Amino acid sequence: MTRSWPLIVAMFLALGGLSAVAGYEMAPPRAAHWREIAWPFPRDGWPAGRAFRCGSTECGTEVEVYLRPKLGFCNCDSGVADDDEVDRVADVDMISPRFVPRKAGDAVRVADMPGRIRAYDLDGHRTAIGIAVSHRCDLMAVAAQGSGDAARVQQTTLKFLEGREIRTWMAAAMEGR
């Protein structure tokens, strides 16, 4: 029995090491590194929101996302109805007053709220994404800007908005908490 102890310990260590490697290999990839930054826009009729930045190394392109609730600012019956509404409410104009839609927008669902998403050209060399989603009579405005192509900036922004922390914050903000 004393001879088998080293063998048992070695097998136990090998099994533990293999389990750790398997756990590492099976783990989902790490989320991109986002850091919260100060709200970069001047005060207006709405409270400041939250702003985040992800660098090109972490996200494949540099992206900044700005989001804030606009309570009581949405059509209670139809929600976000069309692209013109996204143009007016998504705060893209705060990034640059010279924004040009790339094409018609699309329906989108963010944090279980329906709305619309639209891509824009900014100043001829940057991309912006405008998102407006609603819950009851309230609106969540999301604007993003990045140096990459529109599809990459949009994909990166939507992936960020799917994160648990942001979804939880959006739900609480829409309830006025």
Side-chain angles (χ1 to χ4, degrees):
M1 184 109 176
T2 45
R3 284 190 207 176
S4 59
W5 265 109
L7 181 60
I8 292 171
V9 169
M11 287 176 51
F12 181 74
L13 290 173
L15 183 60
L18 288 174
S19 295
V21 168
Y24 176 78
E25 292 294 322
M26 299 295 283
R30 284 185 41 195
H33 177 72
W34 289 86
R35 49 183 189 97
E36 191 158 6
I37 59 175
W39 184 255
F41 306 114
R43 299 294 280 183
D44 61 7
W46 300 102
R50 294 181 73 183
F52 299 87
R53 177 179 294 137
C54 187
S56 59
T57 303
E58 296 85 5
C59 287
T61 186
E62 187 158 319
V63 178
E64 288 186 1
V65 176
Y66 320 103
L67 54 157
R68 65 180 172 166
K70 295 181 177 181
L71 303 180
F73 192 63
C74 195
N75 184 317
C76 301
D77 297 323
S78 63
V80 180
D82 55 34
D83 288 341
D84 290 338
E85 190 166 4
V86 177
D87 297 347
R88 284 191 313 275
V89 303
D91 291 338
V92 173
D93 62 323
M94 293 175 62
I95 300 170
S96 171
R98 296 185 317 226
F99 62 95
V100 178
R102 291 175 160 258
K103 62 179 182 128
D106 296 303
V108 71
R109 201 161 185 83
V110 173
D112 295 325
M113 294 179 284
R116 295 197 60 78
I117 185 170
R118 195 168 195 192
Y120 304 89
D121 281 323
L122 295 178
D123 304 326
H125 65 280
R126 291 180 296 156
T127 296
I129 304 297
I131 302 172
V133 293
S134 65
H135 176 69
R136 297 188 190 112
C137 301
D138 301 323
L139 176 83
M140 177 63 68
V142 180
Q145 68 171 322
S147 55
D149 69 1
R152 171 70 67 117
V153 174
Q154 180 172 315
Q155 177 186 22
T156 302
T157 300
L158 288 173
K159 186 171 182 169
F160 170 70
L161 295 174
E162 291 173 2
R164 185 180 311 162
E165 176 188 341
I166 294 303
R167 290 173 54 93
T168 301
W169 178 82
M170 284 192 286
M174 293 298 273
E175 296 295 329
R177 294 180 274 163

